[in-house]
Amino acid sequence: MAVSWMDQLRADPAMQELLRRIEGGGLVELEPLNQTAAVVLAAATSQMGSSGSIGPLIFVTAHLDAVDDAADEAAGLLRDQAVAGLSTYVFPAQQSLPGMDQTSPEILSQRLHVQQQFLLGVPAGLVVCSAASLMQSLPAPDDIAHLVQPLEVGQKIDRAGLLSWLDQAGYRRVESIDGAGQFAVRGGIVDLFPGLGMPVRLDLFGDEIESLHEIDLDTLGSDRRIDRLEVIAVDIDQSNWANGVTLAEVLPESALVILSDIGELAEQGRSYLNRVHDQTGLLTWEEVQATCLERAKCVCAIRSQDAPGDKTSHALPLKSSPVLDPLCGPLDQLRKLVADQHIVVTCQNHGESQRLEEILGQDEAVAARVQIELRYLRESFVVATDQGSHMVLPHDELMGRHGLRR
């Protein structure tokens, strides 16, 4: 069986040396990478996180609108590697701050969920966030306990007390749930739609939780059985969060932080701070970066594309790909590219894959050097190791439709 481009990347001596430097701790500066290549780097180091020596991984991108793309790319890569115990989480930025309109329950729940995992020492896998989300405050560790309600099969619980907690935590009582932040009660059955995750049905027998099931919203019937969950408050008084903490301040000492494009991170951090009238409870980006260096085991800082060369930066077998000729059709593009490298074209769905197979059917020599993978990657890059060179090329970029999502 052929060795995949990801396996070749991991086995490369430069990558192995990077892993040794990460285990040694401190700051490691890296040569410039586009964001997709930076996500690939994070996924390639993820096995260290699963072994317990390094982790969780925190991937920081400069732009708010790039977080979901990076998380989708990372989730696909980790899923295909079948790395045990590693999942991808988004740590989103609040769209509002204390004194402004309330942010969404989903965003609050996602932020508190990641914080709670860090505080409990639960391996969080790979966390994707923006500069702004790390600059924003969270409740102090001593204050978070009353914001989270654990529920478990067999647990003794006071029904009236649970309903009171849900009301105080911002959940709205309705006849039938259909959205986050709602709950409904029918005798000993409580239907609950948390801010994060699937809606859940609690079956109470007296003062005991007899069963927990996910709810199928189409039928409102009980679905998959679960053993436990943590319900997080969706309406929280953030007025005292000026005395709280940022996620950087609760990083586990084994954490690995990957900063994608340090120049752009600094610029976007300053821009975000300038747009906020009341900066109470916010750290500057420089303070966040210093805190990461102080608390995390290692910080990998990826230099900006336009930054001057630095002999101390660690070079990797990940490179930017050449710019495609906009006047060439996809088959002619591939004929040029396969001359000195293998090509991996990533397709978002079977329709794209089938169309590409039809194109490759017109030239068997090209088809022999092109591999198709079903996954989402936004930007192309080259993996150049001593075992050969692979250009990983998104289907939409090949077709001249770069950046489209389906």
Side-chain angles (χ1 to χ4, degrees):
M1 184 177 180
V3 178
S4 72
W5 59 267
M6 178 63 87
D7 290 336
Q8 290 187 19
L9 172 63
R10 286 186 171 176
D12 187 82
M15 191 68 184
Q16 293 298 311
E17 174 58 25
L18 172 63
L19 299 186
R20 285 191 288 271
R21 292 184 65 179
I22 289 173
E23 288 183 315
L27 174 66
V28 179
E29 293 193 2
L30 303 176
E31 290 293 305
L33 298 171
N34 65 35
Q35 178 167 292
T36 296
V39 171
V40 169
L41 171 66
T45 60
S46 60
Q47 282 188 334
M48 294 181 66
S50 62
S51 70
S53 61
I54 298 289
L57 286 76
I58 296 88
F59 182 87
V60 191
T61 184
H63 297 276
L64 291 166
D65 57 3
V67 171
D68 288 339
D69 275 343
D72 288 346
E73 290 174 321
L77 290 164
L78 291 180
R79 182 179 58 250
D80 290 351
Q81 294 171 67
V83 180
L86 279 182
S87 300
T88 303
Y89 300 89
V90 170
F91 182 71
Q94 295 184 96
Q95 301 304 309
S96 63
L97 292 169
M100 300 171 65
D101 291 337
Q102 184 66 47
T103 192
S104 75
E106 291 88 351
I107 288 177
L108 277 175
S109 294
Q110 284 177 286
R111 288 175 62 82
L112 292 174
H113 177 69
V114 173
Q115 180 189 18
Q116 179 79 338
Q117 285 196 307
F118 284 5
L119 293 174
L120 294 176
V122 178
L126 196 156
V127 177
V128 182
C129 58
S130 64
S133 64
L134 285 186
M135 294 165 65
Q136 296 171 350
S137 59
L138 293 159
D142 291 342
D143 296 332
I144 198 173
H146 73 278
L147 302 177
V148 179
Q149 173 66 61
L151 298 172
E152 188 170 1
V153 173
Q155 175 183 337
K156 299 292 185 180
I157 193 165
D158 176 62
R159 177 181 178 275
L162 173 62
L163 300 184
S164 176
W165 183 89
L166 289 171
D167 181 64
Q168 294 176 19
Y171 286 84
R172 184 166 57 90
R173 186 165 180 170
V174 295
E175 288 294 322
S176 179
I177 62 171
D178 60 11
Q182 299 176 350
F183 73 100
V185 183
R186 299 185 310 280
I189 297 175
V190 179
D191 288 349
L192 170 64
F193 204 138
L196 180 65
M198 295 290 293
V200 175
R201 174 162 294 148
L202 291 73
D203 284 288
L204 303 175
F205 184 74
D207 62 351
E208 181 177 315
I209 299 177
E210 187 175 37
S211 66
L212 291 167
H213 290 86
E214 291 180 349
I215 296 175
D216 183 338
L217 282 178
D218 291 331
T219 65
L220 290 182
S222 296
D223 202 343
R224 186 175 69 94
R225 184 184 178 94
I226 58 176
D227 295 324
R228 70 183 308 276
L229 78 153
E230 287 185 340
V231 183
I232 298 175
V234 296
D235 186 8
I236 300 168
D237 179 8
Q238 302 178 48
S239 61
N240 63 345
W241 284 18
N243 300 317
V245 296
T246 63
L247 192 69
E249 293 171 278
V250 296
L251 286 176
E253 61 182 13
S254 59
L256 166 62
V257 180
I258 297 179
L259 305 178
S260 180
D261 195 337
I262 52 176
E264 188 65 13
L265 281 166
E267 177 63 29
Q268 290 302 313
R270 287 190 292 268
S271 175
Y272 170 69
L273 208 60
N274 289 337
R275 295 196 304 270
V276 178
H277 298 296
D278 181 4
Q279 298 178 5
T280 303
L282 293 178
L283 294 185
T284 66
W285 172 250
E286 289 72 22
E287 289 171 330
V288 168
Q289 188 167 297
T291 303
C292 288
L293 284 167
E294 178 184 343
R295 291 199 55 93
K297 183 177 184 65
C298 180
V299 174
C300 289
I302 300 173
R303 294 195 299 110
S304 301
Q305 293 282 355
D306 56 355
D310 187 342
K311 294 181 179 180
T312 65
S313 295
H314 188 90
L316 292 170
L318 280 168
K319 309 293 180 186
S320 297
S321 58
V323 178
L324 300 185
D325 184 347
L327 300 179
C328 273
L331 187 57
D332 287 336
Q333 297 277 19
L334 292 172
R335 286 178 176 137
K336 292 180 180 180
L337 294 170
V338 299
D340 47 19
Q341 61 194 338
H342 290 277
I343 305 298
V344 178
V345 180
T346 60
C347 298
Q348 296 183 48
N349 53 57
H350 289 286
E352 290 183 353
S353 175
Q354 183 177 3
R355 172 58 181 146
L356 181 58
E357 288 173 352
E358 293 171 356
I359 293 173
L360 293 174
Q362 302 172 39
D363 192 322
E364 292 183 0
V366 171
R369 294 181 62 83
V370 175
Q371 176 184 347
I372 300 174
E373 292 185 355
L374 283 175
R375 71 167 79 250
Y376 171 67
L377 293 175
R378 187 176 186 277
E379 299 176 278
S380 61
F381 56 92
V382 174
V383 178
T385 73
D386 53 7
Q387 298 183 56
S389 179
H390 289 74
M391 180 179 179
V392 182
L393 175 63
H395 172 275
D396 284 341
E397 189 172 338
L398 174 64
M399 299 295 180
R401 302 192 297 266
H402 185 259
L404 294 179
R405 290 297 305 272
R406 288 174 181 77

